[in-house]
Amino acid sequence: MSVTFRKATAADIPLIAAVVDAAYAHYIPVFGGRKPRPMTDDHAARIERGETFVIEDDTGPVGITSMHVESGRVHIFNIAVHPDAQGRGLLHKVFDFAEAMARDSGATKLTLFTNALMERNRQIYAHVGFTEVREEDAPGGYRIVFFEREVEA
């Protein structure tokens, strides 16, 4: 299976919103009826800054990711894979893509965060080599867990 990443454009906003909604909808009950932060993100602003990428495989668009280089690291704000495409190893492809971006920019770490209630994400990130570095409260009553991982040479 071939997987590619392309910079998102404004024309992709409906696709991005649909993928993000499908990927995160199961968390709404966990959050007491509130939407996870990526569902309320300003997709247009991230696209304008060149931070959002559409993930495509042989079947077409299957996910999105938003990331940017800052202070010697690549920060991954969002990874959303449509539920129909989960289990195909796309998460590893996202981290490979982020590491390539890091190497190209001279960054030495990947960082990301997740809501403390997203236990599955916390387990997955630990499994792929990320370390929890801190937790803090965020606006809206959310508790956020921050992770980092060294970029492989």
Side-chain angles (χ1 to χ4, degrees):
M1 170 180 64
S2 173
V3 176
T4 59
F5 292 77
R6 66 169 174 81
K7 282 208 179 209
T9 67
D12 292 313
I13 291 174
L15 166 72
I16 292 165
V19 169
V20 169
D21 287 353
Y24 287 92
H26 68 282
Y27 282 117
I28 293 173
V30 174
F31 290 2
R34 295 181 303 156
K35 291 182 177 182
R37 197 166 153 197
M39 292 177 81
T40 61
D41 193 32
D42 185 346
H43 302 302
R46 287 196 188 277
I47 290 168
E48 189 173 309
R49 291 190 302 264
E51 298 173 353
T52 300
F53 302 85
V54 176
I55 306 164
E56 297 177 321
D57 70 8
D58 299 335
T59 67
V62 291
I64 68 99
T65 187
S66 296
M67 61 183 72
H68 64 275
V69 179
E70 63 179 36
S71 305
R73 62 190 174 154
V74 171
H75 178 71
I76 305 166
F77 175 75
N78 189 10
I79 303 169
V81 174
H82 193 282
D84 293 344
Q86 292 177 5
R88 297 184 195 171
L90 294 170
L91 185 61
H92 291 287
K93 299 286 188 185
V94 170
F95 293 137
D96 290 347
F97 179 75
E99 286 202 344
M101 180 184 288
R103 284 189 292 277
D104 289 348
S105 69
T108 60
K109 290 184 181 181
L110 300 182
T111 61
L112 55 82
F113 56 80
T114 193
N115 190 291
L117 297 176
M118 295 179 171
E119 286 295 327
R120 182 171 175 246
N121 289 2
R122 293 174 80 167
Q123 293 169 358
I124 290 169
Y125 298 147
H127 180 73
V128 296
F130 282 84
T131 302
E132 288 189 23
V133 293
R134 73 182 188 283
E135 284 190 39
E136 62 185 54
D137 293 325
Y142 296 101
R143 182 96 180 139
I144 304 299
V145 182
F146 292 83
F147 292 81
E148 65 181 35
R149 179 173 105 179
E150 297 293 322
V151 172
E152 295 181 19

